[in-house]
């Protein structure tokens, strides 16, 4: 049970990182990934970029639900909620 939750958290983190990379490349107009992230932080929309990256977690969540791997889906949901809280706090400060 605990192992499956950690697998879900890991999958959620990887899916979010891949989603962030894809989003930064699509919206970055061909610039380098680190350059896009630095520009997003300076202009104040890094939280929005991270939130867009979390869309891939939705896909992972529904795949785990369809396969009846509820604890892995719970891990993906936990990391998605954590990312939402992180972006909310990041936006405040």
């Amino acid at each position: 049970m605990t192992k499956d939750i950690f697998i879900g958290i890991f999958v959620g983190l990887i899916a979010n990182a891949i989603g962030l990379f894809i989003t930064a490349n699509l919206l970055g107009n061909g610039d380098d990934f680190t350059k896009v992230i630095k520009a997003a932080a300076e202009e104040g929309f890094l939280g929005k970029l991270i939130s867009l990256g979390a869309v891939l977690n939705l896909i992972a969540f529904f795949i785990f639900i369809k396969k009846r791997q509820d604890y892995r889906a719970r891990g993906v949901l936990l990391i998605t909620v954590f990312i939402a809280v992180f972006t909310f706090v990041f936006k405040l400060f």
Side-chain angles (χ1 to χ4, degrees):
M1 177 173 91
T2 306
K3 179 183 170 188
D4 285 336
I5 291 174
F6 283 122
I7 289 172
I9 289 172
F10 181 71
V11 169
L13 284 172
I14 296 299
N16 193 18
I18 292 170
L20 177 63
F21 185 75
I22 290 171
T23 304
N25 282 332
L26 288 176
L27 300 177
N29 296 327
D31 289 336
D32 186 32
F33 176 72
T34 56
K35 191 175 185 182
V36 172
I37 296 298
K38 287 179 185 176
E42 290 173 0
E43 295 176 16
F45 65 90
L46 183 60
K48 294 177 184 177
L49 201 61
I50 293 171
S51 296
L52 282 173
V55 170
L56 286 182
N57 286 354
L58 185 66
I59 296 169
F61 177 76
F62 281 117
I63 288 172
F64 286 142
I65 290 292
K66 185 170 174 94
K67 290 183 176 183
R68 298 199 183 261
Q69 296 174 341
D70 295 335
Y71 288 108
R72 290 183 184 190
R74 186 180 296 179
V76 173
L77 185 62
L78 284 171
I79 201 66
T80 304
V81 169
F82 175 77
I83 290 167
V85 170
F86 173 76
T87 55
F88 179 72
V89 170
F90 185 74
K91 188 169 179 105
L92 287 177
F93 299 107

